[in-house]
Amino acid sequence: MDLTVLAPDPVLLLCAVVLDGILGDPVYRWHPVRLMGHTLTGVERVLRRTGLDGYAGGCVLFLALSAFWVGVSAALALWLNGLHPVLNGVYQVFFIYSMVALRDLCRHGMAIDRAGDLKGARRAVSMLVGRDTSAMDAAACRRAGMESLSENAVDGFIAPLCWYALLGLPGIVLYKVISTMDSMVGYRTPRYARFGWCGARLDDLFNLLPARLTWLLMTAVAFLLPGYSGRNALSVGWRQHALIPGPNSGWSEAAAAGAVQRRLVGPVRQDGKLVTEIWIGDEGDPEGGQTGDLRRMCVLVVVTCLVATALSILAMVVPAK
């Protein structure tokens, strides 16, 4: 059994990223992440029936999902490699491609600008964020899209990229299992406060390094791109990342605000109540949400993700030599 076929492969990763850039995230019934969600729902139902609906149940959920999905994906790769290495390569490219989502991230963000009217913009924003959109003006809609682009650059692309570069196919599958757990059960509600604790904390852990790498990469990219500020990206990211709830999302959001030289967030309402009025970004910069701001954010995110891809491929190639 040749386990090296599961190791990080620069050619497979490059092919997967190119596919995502050309086609976007595939939409079909048997999408691996969708199947992970179905598996999670089934295992959760069984665990709750047996009384494992607290911290222990959440830990068992993680062990069951990770063992199943990492085991099945790896076994299938090994089996296909035994039939022919090309079959394994095609399978892994498609699997990795299904785990990253850069094109769709930008498409959903830019849909706000393409909406044409405020009602359409609010509808597009509602696909990205959970806040109330009924009172949002055009600028607030664009700001929300900018924040979503910068935050999701980490868990939608750079984090899965990092875990593939470190651990190959098992690494990216494990990351997506954890990310799926966080999105489905990682809530601070009476139902999930304890049961979802494991998934939420693991998601924090697995995004810890990628979030901070994204801050540094955005800073480097902002120094190179005309009209962006690397100095502000570095400074705002360092000083204001903690203003955003959670240990990770603030790094990319604050860095992006500094890079595009716009203040983000502002008044946010949820369930009819004002939940925050915090602004992130340099105090001397104008409020974000102006015409063209979303496109500038999209450029920053895309270039940052492409640089991350190049560095990941380089990291795989250098040790091989």
Side-chain angles (χ1 to χ4, degrees):
M1 183 181 296
D2 184 11
L3 295 180
T4 59
V5 302
L6 303 176
D9 187 298
V11 175
L12 299 185
L13 178 60
L14 179 61
C15 290
V17 172
V18 170
L19 266 180
D20 178 71
I22 295 173
L23 302 176
D25 193 40
V27 180
Y28 63 104
R29 184 178 182 182
W30 305 107
H31 192 291
V33 177
R34 179 177 293 186
L35 293 179
M36 285 180 186
H38 292 321
T39 308
L40 186 153
T41 300
V43 175
E44 178 186 357
R45 188 180 302 116
V46 172
L47 290 173
R48 289 189 181 278
R49 285 176 180 172
T50 58
L52 288 172
D53 56 356
Y55 294 114
C59 293
V60 173
L61 176 67
F62 163 68
L63 293 174
L65 288 178
S66 57
F68 177 81
W69 276 102
V70 172
V72 167
S73 60
L76 188 54
L78 293 169
W79 177 67
L80 289 172
N81 192 67
L83 296 178
H84 198 287
V86 172
L87 292 176
N88 169 54
V90 171
Y91 158 74
Q92 289 206 46
V93 166
F94 189 77
F95 215 97
I96 300 165
Y97 156 56
S98 299
M99 301 285 151
V100 295
L102 178 58
R103 182 186 175 95
D104 271 27
L105 175 62
C106 291
R107 180 172 62 84
H108 287 306
M110 292 308 299
I112 299 169
D113 262 355
R114 293 193 299 266
D117 57 28
L118 183 55
K119 183 178 180 181
R122 288 171 176 171
R123 188 183 308 113
V125 169
S126 68
M127 303 294 291
L128 295 172
V129 298
R131 67 191 66 169
D132 289 345
T133 61
S134 59
M136 293 172 66
D137 60 14
C141 289
R142 292 193 188 102
R143 284 198 302 273
M146 295 168 73
E147 294 156 29
S148 180
L149 278 168
S150 60
E151 177 186 359
N152 289 318
V154 178
D155 53 15
F157 191 87
I158 292 180
L161 195 78
C162 287
W163 286 103
Y164 178 77
L166 286 171
L167 300 174
L169 182 65
I172 196 170
V173 173
L174 180 62
Y175 175 79
K176 276 299 176 179
V177 165
I178 293 170
S179 179
T180 302
M181 286 182 63
D182 181 61
S183 64
M184 293 183 67
V185 301
Y187 302 108
R188 294 179 179 178
T189 62
R191 179 176 175 82
Y192 289 118
R194 295 187 302 165
F195 187 78
W197 177 86
C198 179
R201 297 293 74 75
L202 284 172
D203 187 73
D204 289 343
L205 178 63
F206 271 61
N207 281 309
L208 201 69
L209 179 61
R212 287 147 183 81
L213 286 175
T214 302
W215 163 53
L216 295 175
L217 288 175
M218 279 188 174
T219 295
V221 167
F223 271 115
L224 299 175
L225 289 177
Y228 295 77
S229 175
R231 181 184 63 81
N232 278 5
L234 183 66
S235 174
V236 175
W238 176 257
R239 289 185 291 107
Q240 299 185 8
H241 66 89
L243 295 178
I244 304 297
N248 299 316
S249 58
W251 287 96
S252 58
E253 287 192 44
V260 300
Q261 302 176 85
R262 293 291 185 268
R263 289 187 292 139
L264 300 180
V265 188
V268 173
R269 290 175 173 81
Q270 197 163 11
D271 298 325
K273 299 178 180 179
L274 184 67
V275 294
T276 185
E277 291 185 283
I278 290 174
W279 290 89
I280 59 172
D282 191 275
E283 292 181 359
D285 288 335
E287 294 179 9
Q290 303 174 34
T291 302
D293 282 356
L294 254 173
R295 186 169 298 277
R296 293 183 69 238
M297 181 65 79
C298 192
V299 169
L300 175 70
V301 167
V302 169
V303 176
T304 299
C305 289
L306 292 180
V307 170
T309 302
L311 291 176
S312 297
I313 290 173
L314 183 63
M316 297 177 210
V317 171
V318 172
K321 292 183 178 181

